[in-house]
Amino acid sequence: MLIEESLKSAVSSIRTNRVRSFLTTLAIIIGTAAVIAVIGIGSSASKALEEDIDELGPRTLSIFPSQRKRGGVSSGFNPLVIKDAEALADNNDHNWMIAPAMSGSRQIKYENNNISGEINGYLPINFKVRGFDLAHGRLFTEKENLGRKKVVVLGSKVPGELKKSVKQILNQDILVAGTSYKVIGILAEEGSTGWQNPDDDLYVPLLTASQRIFGTDRLGWINVGISNDTNVDYVMMTIEEILRQKHDIGPGGENDFRINDWSQFSDLRRQATGIFTALIAGIAGISLIVGGIGVMNIMLVSVTERTREIGLRKALGATHRSIMMQFIVEAVLLCILGGLVGVFIGTSLLYLFASFNDWPFAMPISAIFGSITFSALVGLFFGIWPARRAAQLDPAVSLRYE
Amino acid sequence: MIINVKNIKKSYNVGTQEVHALRGIDLSVEKGEFMAIMGPSGSGKTTLMNIIGCLDTPTSGTYELNGKSVSSLEDDELASIRNKEIGFVFQSFNLLAKNSTLDNVLLPLKYAGENKNDAVIKAKKVIGRVGLTERLDHTPAELSGGQQQRVAIARALVNNPSIIFADEPTGNLDSKTGEEVMNLFKELNSYGQTIILITHEDSVAQQSNRVITIMDGLIKSDNRN
Ligand SMILES: Nc1ncnc2c1ncn2[C@@H]1O[C@H](COP(=O)(O)OP(=O)(O)OP(=O)(O)O)[C@@H](O)[C@H]1O
Ligand SMILES: [Mg+2]
């Protein structure tokens, strides 16, 4: 019943001093709103990022040829070749997808239209690794690759560049560097990734590209598709082991290839967002502390104003503890109310911000509970001193107080 | 004997000056007495009441309440005595402004740790005794002065105390309502309730059965009516 009495007294005191209570908790409100908004924005942003990454398909490593040094002197690029890719594909330790590719720019002609197009030599699996979807027709098959067939799949924008509709160009023959290739499929729009624009490219079977177009077995790169739960370090070790063996690199020799882990970039971005979030949350936390000092101040005022009431309560039998509790409950309630209003404002801000940026709305429940708990703790901490002052008042003196 | 006070002194240090509010009071009060304390302003009446009401401790002297010495008790033990053994009625009523009649009367029961249902039953009963059953949900602002003082009396009575102390209970009331309040005190006393009241008015003091007069911190006279 004492807790109930304390709550009742706290509610009545806060209601009596509505404006003062609101102004007192303003710093708490702002602090909580900022914490909530920033944490929410951080988590919505990384959720948006994750969705972007998910759209990229499974996690991808890329192997590129790199300079080989002999005795400190660069001896040019040591190529990655189709046989390297075959060696990787023969390994069964990992459930990986080996997607070798070569590319180059060639003249493309259809009827009267000439463009310069980027030709990619792909295996059928490459489309899967890159997460490309087919919009019309079909992809080429492994059989067509082995048969070096003259078939081509177009990026979504290529028909337009050739001034033709999809219908007009699908299953027609176009000239690639003067040789005629049958258009068997057109990809869905993928969007630019910043440094690549798959929509403008053309795709032919790898062996066709190697033997009929580029006349080389040197690869531009090998993509390695791995599932998200794969141990990346172990995969990298296996790649190194196989390629070093294929390239005859002895112990101590430097790699003549490098492996990129694209997801590292997003990890970096995520880390940066995390640091930013922590920073702002820290500043907002300071605002909560400042708010706590404001609450302490107003509680001291409240204790002085209510000296007579405290004297009366003591005359009626209130103990040290029950007076302490009354004022601590009031301070905590004040802060929790501020925290709730702050959560509401912060969540609204996040909602606006997220819908403005077209991000998913992700508000961790833990942030809400955490910040309300924190404001309650602020109230507890800063309420103790005023509450002690109240509890230590001399009842006889307090009752004389005007 | 409910109250047995021997050679109680109380002095205050105000700056470098020492104020002797009580300078050696001997007093004993029997159960069922209705005693009035009179005396000029500043003579020490409230100070004496605070000490025998366990709101304050004397500078020296001994005090036994119901045969037990209270001079050396801790704060919380005194709080418990105030809660169970003593009921206070003040000149300015001292009700909690935002609370209803019922809640004001419930307050001592809450501090006594009483369970809610029992408390409400007890509180309603004493509110009935002071004739305010119709005003249970009224706040002090919605009550007349006399009614407010009756709520305060109900609050003082609710824990069934050994003594009721009233410091100028009629001081803020007109003579008619003052008389109603006095009639209530007399009625309570007729059922055996011990009452000590401070007053400036002879007409009020004459209604008690014992009047003591205090001057400069000493008892000057002690007369039974
Ligand atoms: N807390 C205090 N500090 C210093 N002096 C005090 C304190 N309380 C009371 N006094 C002094 O003690 C003396 C007695 O005060 P007390 O309030 O008991 O008088 P009283 O008889 O009740 O007067 P009144 O009829 O005006 O209420 C006064 O001189 C007063 O100034
Ligand atoms: Mg007085």
Side-chain angles (χ1 to χ4, degrees), chain A residues 397 400, chain B residues 12 14 19 21 40-47 168 200:
Chain A
V397 174
R400 286 177 193 269
Chain B
Y12 298 102
V14 184
V19 178
S41 185
S43 55
K45 303 182 297 293
T46 299
T47 306
E168 298 184 42
H200 279 119

Side-chain angles (χ1 to χ4, degrees), chain B residues 95-101 132 134-145 147-148 151:
Chain B
L95 298 174
L96 295 183
K98 301 283 161 184
N99 286 22
S100 67
T101 297
L132 287 176
E134 308 289 299
R135 301 284 185 275
L136 271 187
D137 296 323
H138 291 227
T139 60
E142 296 160 354
L143 296 171
S144 72
Q147 289 171 329
Q148 289 185 52
V151 175

Side-chain angles (χ1 to χ4, degrees), chain B residues 202-214:
Chain B
D202 274 327
S203 61
V204 170
Q206 290 322 309
Q207 302 186 53
S208 67
N209 31 62
R210 179 181 174 192
V211 182
I212 65 170
T213 312
I214 296 188

